[in-house]
Amino acid sequence: MHLTRPRQISRRSVLKAAGVTAGAVGVAAAVPTTPAAAAGYAHPGLLHARADLDRMAAKVKAGAAPYTAGYARLTANRHAQSGWTANPQQTVVRGGAGQNYAILYNDLHAAYQNGLRYHVGGDTAHADTAVAILNAWSAKLTSLAGNADRFLAAGLYGYQAANAAELVRDRPDFELERFQKMLSTVFSPLSESFLVKHNDAVVTNYWPNWDLTALACVLATGIFCDDTAKVEQAVEYFKNGSGLGAVKHAIPVVQDDGLAEWLEAGRDQGHALLGVGLMGTVCEMAWNQGIDLYGYDDSRFLKGAQYVAKWSLGGEVSYTANTRKKGAIGGWSGTETASDAAGVDPTMTRPIWAMIANHYTKRRGLSAPYLTRIAAKAAPEGGGGDYGPDSGGYDQLGFGTLAFTRDKVSAAAGSAAAGSSAAPSPAGGRSATAVDPSATPSAGATAASARSDDLAATGSTDLVAWSAATGLTALAGGLLLLRRRDRAGRKVSAE
């Protein structure tokens, strides 16, 4: 796969390459275009583009709501203080004996929060703290170890490390090349391997969030290191990957009402929320580099996110029973069936919704009522340290109310952008906020086994506390049977 470069294609070609047609999506939002290879990728350009950071600073300075409430959550967090001192390790272990990975995720969240606080508030002491934390880790960390959970460590903390570093990459005292080497040699190889080999397990052994952590790491590393091959690997896997994290496997059933079933809703609420947050993270990072995964396959992610939002709010949702094959290649095997959406706790939340809701309703001008409701309920979103003491509370970087709240694009701006590419941003990247106000939203828009300790089907045990009942029943035999409904309501087998 080769990503198309901006000056060689029209805006229509960009939409086509993303798998979206104007009629299918029902919106003519100007999709950002990918920076030319010779110039590298836009920086800053992971979760936050230059325009995003400037918007946060301006809104907080002006005392605008809800940015001030979001910033207050940031400044109150213990990780966001300039006195934080790093505790780097040579080897980080997640899963099995000698676990110490909490040291890493606490330091990374401190680096990210201090970096974000620097951009919004302007105090260089926070930039100095972020740089010191990240430099300390790149000077010492050489490996990630543990059982299968080491892949979760690589994925989660790889994408978080890249995002924290992206906020201070232009600081003169930041060791950029050393940090790029750490991402490329310690974190990304595990994630790249997982997407290809899945820890030598049957490809469906691992639920969607495993793939999605790996995707987030590979994509973030590719962008941070200006490595086109890694970016292309992540984008191609998102669209056509064999594992359950690829978008059509994670969201296998599109319903007649425009919602789409999230596979992991048949597991439990905590992991479903994790998956939605991770897929949103992948889409946002890609968007800031001109790659529209949000809109891919008629905005399939929007339909899946709406489904999870409705379900998490206590609404009734349907779920098509599916059976996934488990086990090691050439070793033990078994199956597991999810027959219904699991029970939910309407008070359970993660800081994932502001980013997704604002993209679809503000950037694209689409109606997404369940996303709108759940984002409002979760606001103002906090970050790591605000959602529990265990690793599940640190899976997302958070602070979406501050970082992703957007003004809805005006009709004039949408008209001016219709039929043209997004304009360059001051940082040399591309802005991506223009929407055609006359566009009509699509229908979708409206509406483990003890036999192997190294093949974890459920992830780390401390995430279970975040989850509701699994709703899973083991069955003998069978393959992964995912079903989708066509527009007439007829069921057919998925690919």
Side-chain angles (χ1 to χ4, degrees):
M1 174 187 174
H2 297 284
L3 297 181
T4 312
R5 300 303 174 190
R7 294 178 180 83
Q8 301 170 339
I9 57 173
S10 66
R11 176 176 169 275
R12 179 176 294 179
S13 297
V14 173
L15 289 168
K16 184 177 181 181
V20 180
T21 63
V25 176
V27 61
V31 179
T33 51
T34 308
Y41 293 98
H43 300 292
L46 289 176
L47 285 175
H48 314 302
R50 173 60 60 192
D52 299 323
L53 297 170
D54 291 345
R55 178 185 66 250
M56 293 178 229
K59 293 289 189 179
V60 170
K61 184 177 181 180
Y67 300 89
T68 50
Y71 188 56
R73 292 217 68 178
L74 174 62
T75 59
N77 194 296
R78 70 183 183 90
H79 297 79
Q81 311 309 313
S82 60
W84 189 279
T85 301
N87 182 21
Q89 307 292 306
Q90 183 172 343
T91 298
V92 166
V93 180
R94 177 166 178 166
Q99 290 194 135
N100 63 349
Y101 66 101
I103 298 171
L104 175 58
Y105 67 66
N106 275 282
D107 277 1
L108 290 178
H109 280 259
Y112 172 78
Q113 291 180 26
N114 273 277
L116 192 59
R117 189 168 177 180
Y118 158 65
H119 279 282
V120 179
D123 187 344
T124 58
H126 293 290
D128 294 341
T129 297
V131 168
I133 294 168
L134 298 170
N135 282 350
W137 277 94
S138 68
K140 189 166 184 177
L141 182 66
T142 60
S143 63
L144 301 175
N147 60 22
D149 282 5
R150 69 191 184 278
F151 293 105
L152 295 178
L156 290 167
Y157 312 137
Y159 97 76
Q160 292 175 2
N163 272 276
E166 186 79 348
L167 294 175
V168 293
R169 65 179 293 139
D170 59 347
R171 299 287 296 178
D173 51 346
F174 175 64
E175 296 288 349
L176 176 61
E177 292 184 3
R178 193 173 73 196
F179 203 87
Q180 289 175 323
K181 180 180 178 181
M182 181 183 71
L183 287 175
S184 297
T185 62
V186 178
F187 290 96
S188 188
L190 278 172
S191 291
E192 294 173 62
S193 171
F194 188 84
L195 294 177
V196 174
K197 300 173 64 177
H198 288 88
N199 195 29
D200 294 322
V202 176
V203 69
T204 56
N205 185 76
Y206 293 97
W207 287 97
N209 70 79
W210 288 79
D211 272 359
L212 290 167
T213 63
L215 277 177
C217 175
V218 175
L219 180 60
T221 300
I223 294 169
F224 188 85
C225 298
D226 295 310
D227 187 329
T228 301
K230 286 182 172 59
V231 174
E232 291 180 348
Q233 179 189 7
V235 172
E236 173 63 16
Y237 197 97
F238 178 94
K239 296 178 179 180
N240 301 307
S242 59
L244 297 184
V247 65
K248 293 179 184 179
H249 296 158
I251 310 172
V253 179
V254 177
Q255 300 175 339
D256 296 335
D257 61 0
L259 301 184
E261 296 175 18
W262 190 268
L263 182 66
E264 217 151 354
R267 181 185 182 187
D268 59 60
Q269 185 183 6
H271 286 96
L273 293 176
L274 169 61
V276 171
L278 288 168
M279 189 171 285
T281 295
V282 168
C283 290
E284 185 69 17
M285 294 189 299
W287 176 271
N288 284 330
Q289 299 299 332
I291 306 163
D292 186 15
L293 300 183
Y294 276 119
Y296 179 71
D297 194 26
D298 194 24
S299 298
R300 195 180 192 93
F301 176 49
L302 167 60
K303 299 167 188 177
Q306 280 264 88
Y307 173 96
V308 174
K310 179 182 179 180
W311 170 61
S312 292
L313 287 166
E316 292 290 329
V317 295
S318 63
Y319 187 88
T320 304
N322 66 85
T323 299
R324 65 189 186 92
K325 191 175 181 179
K326 298 167 41 177
I329 296 174
W332 69 275
S333 64
T335 61
E336 192 170 48
T337 294
S339 57
D340 202 356
V344 299
D345 175 0
T347 67
M348 182 185 293
T349 190
R350 284 174 178 255
I352 63 174
W353 298 113
M355 176 176 64
I356 304 166
N358 274 275
H359 172 80
Y360 287 114
T361 65
K362 301 296 179 65
R363 278 187 180 143
R364 307 306 281 263
L366 299 175
S367 173
Y370 299 113
L371 286 175
T372 300
R373 284 175 55 198
I374 204 165
K377 182 179 178 181
E381 289 180 353
D386 294 326
Y387 295 88
D390 297 322
S391 63
Y394 292 82
D395 288 339
Q396 285 82 34
L397 291 168
F399 302 105
T401 303
L402 168 65
F404 302 111
T405 299
R406 305 176 185 280
D407 295 324
K408 195 166 187 177
V409 175
S410 68
S415 298
S420 64
S421 297
S425 72
R430 316 293 289 187
S431 64
T433 56
V435 183
D436 180 357
S438 66
T440 303
S442 67
T446 57
S449 169
R451 287 167 286 183
S452 177
D453 293 336
D454 200 43
L455 287 177
T458 58
S460 60
T461 54
D462 60 20
L463 191 55
V464 174
W466 283 76
S467 306
T470 62
L472 296 175
T473 304
L475 295 181
L479 299 174
L480 177 69
L481 301 176
L482 302 177
R483 306 186 66 86
R484 67 180 71 185
R485 296 183 180 89
D486 62 13
R487 296 299 181 187
R490 179 174 53 87
K491 293 183 179 180
V492 298
S493 295
E495 299 173 1

